[in-house]
Amino acid sequence: MFILVNGLLAGLGLAAMLALGDGLFATQTFPVLIDVSYVPGMENLPSIVELLIHLLISIVLAFFLMHFYPRGQAAAVAKYLGYWNLGFALAYVVFSWLSGTSMSWVGFLIWLLGHLLYSVMLMVQMERQR
């Protein structure tokens, strides 16, 4: 239950951050986050279904992030979350390309900040559980 709730909250926080960034800076990071039209059979899904798929993926990622979370020094935690965020950064390039969305440095920065928020939200909950 802990992972389910925190995965949902972190996923919603990420979606809200990207939507806000898109509104403020006219980027396209939120559509990159939820777009699944490149998956065969999922070409014409409503946006709400795409968002629910994103939240399901968020729960799965939260499970792995929290399951392997290092129980040690702050340096080990920072390194661990750094690797996760490197993966999230690479995901921006891949998913932008797959969805046909134009990439920008501002969009990339918003994507990174949103995923940093996602990671920190999960980290805070893990630290509270110690």
Side-chain angles (χ1 to χ4, degrees):
M1 185 61 120
F2 176 77
I3 291 174
L4 175 69
V5 169
N6 286 295
L8 283 173
L9 290 175
L12 287 170
L14 170 61
M17 168 84 179
L18 297 186
L20 178 64
D22 287 352
L24 292 174
F25 299 102
T27 56
Q28 293 293 311
T29 57
F30 182 73
V32 170
L33 182 73
I34 67 169
D35 183 27
V36 292
S37 63
Y38 46 83
V39 177
M42 296 186 155
E43 294 87 3
N44 297 313
L45 291 177
S47 294
I48 189 71
V49 174
E50 291 180 323
L51 179 61
L52 292 173
I53 291 169
H54 156 72
L55 292 175
L56 178 65
I57 292 168
S58 175
I59 293 166
V60 171
L61 286 176
F63 170 79
F64 285 105
L65 195 148
M66 295 172 123
H67 184 71
F68 295 106
Y69 188 82
R71 307 244 191 266
Q73 302 171 355
V77 171
K79 185 176 176 181
Y80 178 74
L81 294 179
Y83 286 134
W84 273 93
N85 281 286
L86 179 61
F88 293 142
L90 293 172
Y92 175 73
V93 175
V94 171
F95 293 138
S96 292
W97 178 73
L98 286 172
S99 66
T101 305
S102 62
M103 292 182 271
S104 69
W105 286 109
V106 174
F108 184 69
L109 181 61
I110 292 169
W111 181 271
L112 284 179
L113 290 174
H115 283 82
L116 182 62
L117 171 70
Y118 176 83
S119 301
V120 167
M121 288 175 72
L122 293 174
M123 179 193 72
V124 166
Q125 290 306 314
M126 287 300 295
E127 292 296 327
R128 286 184 180 172
Q129 288 295 95
R130 286 187 173 199

